[in-house]
């Protein structure tokens, strides 16, 4: 299938950029979401527009800052007016706050959730009236293994992705009766800009309390997420999986997709199976099993 209309957020670099280029080259009608297209992402917007012209792709840049309600609503309107439909939304935009939880103010924590969690909520809320009217659609969230397992010095990020996972499960159950699928792709660490661009807490004094351990941890994390494919694999493994998920026939997309090196995959896959079985048992025991969608 190569004629879905797809909106992807956060496509300046990384998974999002690879995904929109791959989807467009496979014939889909693709809207590449970028924030600040006349400022920080002017170059990415020009490159994507030039690629579309050079290769005759149905690839168009749409401005969307997922933390801005008006921007999100404008973008979804632009897509649906231009395309007359919207089949798949990929909530990929994200950022990473690295550092001990203690060093963050609530305002900084809010910023982490605003992008990674509430960003998807805004986009999905804007898209849902169109998807509901169509009677079909898919909401794909880009999650993380950190949404299942929380490492130190990455607690805000992990919490934002765990919350995104919970929201996805709720959307999955609630929207299935309306023909709308909500699923999540959880990725391990792959080389993109996210590690190097990690935001640090403003309170350097509290950061300093964690001293050398914290510094070494960040160095290791950045090295890991910017390292070559030889050690962890390519970011395209994630974009390939996103493309496959977009192209999975409607009604067949699994709630959870996992992209990870073999040992991590095996461990988290087992955890997911156990969590899914537990969710079913608890719901049945509470007498609400009939309201759960298939996973
Ligand atoms: N790389 C990994 O190891 C990994 C693992 C698991 C999950 N993930 C998730 O994968 C997704 C993509 O990340 P990536 O690794 O490809 O990193 P990336 O290269 O840094 O891409 C992140 C994208 O999100 C965009 N973004 C940030 N804030 C935004 C906002 N307010 N509105 C709209 N777009 C915004 C960025 O745009 P700007 O250029 O304008 O900042 C950028 O295009 C994220 O959700 C991330 O949490 C990554």
């Amino acid at each position: 299938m190569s004629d879905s209309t797809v909106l992807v957020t956060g496509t300046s670099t990384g998974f999002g950029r690879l995904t929109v280029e791959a989807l467009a080259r496979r014939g889909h009608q693709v809207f590449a979401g970028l924030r600040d297209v006349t400022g920080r992402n002017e170059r990415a917007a020009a490159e994507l527009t030039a690629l579309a012209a050079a290769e005759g792709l149905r690839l168009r840049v749409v401005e969307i800052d997922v933390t801005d309600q008006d921007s999100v609503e404008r973008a979804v309107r632009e897509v649906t007016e231009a395309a007359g439909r919207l089949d798949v939304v990929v909530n990929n935009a994200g950022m990473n706050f690295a550092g001990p939880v203690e060093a963050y103010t609530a305002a900084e924590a809010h910023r982490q959730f605003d992008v990674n969690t509430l960003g998807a909520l805004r986009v999905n809320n804007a898209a849902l009236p169109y998807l509901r009217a169509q009677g079909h659609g898919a909401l794909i969230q880009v999650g993380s293994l950190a949404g299942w397992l929380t490492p130190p010095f990455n607690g805000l990020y992990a919490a934002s992705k765990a919350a995104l996972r919970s929201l996805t499960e709720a959307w999955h159950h609630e929207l299935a009766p309306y023909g709308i699928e909500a699923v999540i792709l959880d990725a391990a660490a792959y080389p993109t800009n996210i590690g190097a661009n990690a935001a640090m807490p403003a309170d350097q004094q509290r950061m300093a309390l964690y001293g050398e351990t914290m510094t070494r941890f960040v160095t290791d994390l950045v090295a890991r997420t910017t390292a070559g494919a030889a050690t962890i694999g390519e970011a395209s493994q994630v974009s390939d999986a996103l493309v496959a998920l977009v192209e999975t026939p409607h009604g067949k997309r699994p709630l959870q997709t996992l992209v990870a090196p073999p040992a991590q995959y095996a461990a988290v896959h087992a955890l997911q199976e156990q969590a899914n079985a537990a969710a079913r048992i608890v719901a049945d025991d509470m007498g609400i099993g009939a309201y759960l969608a298939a996973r």
Side-chain angles (χ1 to χ4, degrees):
M1 171 178 154
S2 60
D3 71 345
S4 287
T5 298
V6 189
L7 168 64
V8 185
T9 64
T11 64
S12 62
T13 54
F15 302 157
R17 178 69 173 263
L18 292 168
T19 301
V20 289
E21 292 187 2
L23 284 172
R25 286 187 167 126
R26 289 177 64 80
H28 298 283
Q29 182 170 27
V30 182
F31 291 84
L34 289 175
R35 64 171 163 167
D36 197 10
V37 294
T38 52
R40 63 183 287 137
N41 285 321
E42 190 175 6
R43 183 169 167 186
E47 287 169 355
L48 286 165
T49 303
L51 178 74
E55 298 189 18
L57 307 177
R58 294 189 299 161
L59 172 61
R60 168 170 160 176
V61 167
V62 58
E63 174 140 20
I64 181 166
D65 180 336
V66 300
T67 64
D68 178 338
Q69 184 71 31
D70 290 342
S71 166
V72 167
E73 285 173 10
R74 235 185 349 261
V76 170
R77 206 165 41 241
E78 184 181 329
V79 170
T80 51
E81 282 176 5
R85 58 194 267 211
L86 175 56
D87 301 308
V88 184
V89 173
V90 181
N91 281 301
N92 168 75
M95 64 177 303
N96 185 5
F97 273 79
V101 176
E102 181 191 351
Y104 284 103
T105 61
E108 286 172 318
H110 181 267
R111 173 86 186 138
Q112 174 72 97
F113 281 85
D114 206 21
V115 178
N116 287 10
T117 314
L118 301 178
L121 184 138
R122 281 188 195 91
V123 174
N124 290 350
N125 277 355
L128 275 168
Y130 297 96
L131 307 191
R132 203 185 289 273
Q134 284 175 169
H136 78 271
L139 307 171
I140 300 175
Q141 277 63 244
V142 179
S144 168
L145 259 57
W148 291 87
L149 309 159
T150 307
F153 307 122
N154 211 206
L156 287 190
Y157 179 78
S160 74
K161 291 295 186 181
L164 182 64
R165 175 162 71 81
S166 288
L167 282 181
T168 302
E169 294 208 20
W171 282 318
H172 176 76
H173 297 307
E174 292 166 5
L175 296 170
Y178 307 100
I180 298 163
E181 291 175 293
V183 301
I184 189 163
L185 180 150
D186 289 311
Y190 286 95
T192 68
N193 290 349
I194 199 157
N197 287 345
M200 293 297 173
D203 190 339
Q204 290 299 311
Q205 276 182 335
R206 289 209 191 206
M207 273 281 277
L209 297 175
Y210 293 82
E212 269 303 297
T213 316
M214 172 67 210
T215 311
R216 274 201 314 278
F217 177 86
V218 171
T219 308
D220 287 349
L221 188 69
V222 170
R224 175 83 177 166
T225 50
T226 54
T231 49
I232 47 177
E234 303 266 13
S236 60
Q237 289 175 241
V238 176
S239 56
D240 287 350
L242 284 169
V243 169
L245 209 42
V246 168
E247 294 185 346
T248 300
H250 192 67
K252 303 282 183 205
R253 295 181 182 92
L255 170 61
Q256 293 137 342
T257 297
L258 193 54
V259 182
Q264 296 179 42
Y265 182 96
V268 178
H269 183 65
L271 188 61
Q272 290 178 331
E273 300 250 286
Q274 216 175 353
N276 292 341
R280 170 62 61 188
I281 291 166
V282 170
D284 284 344
D285 195 50
M286 292 172 68
I288 56 167
Y291 299 93
L292 262 54
R295 285 172 186 248

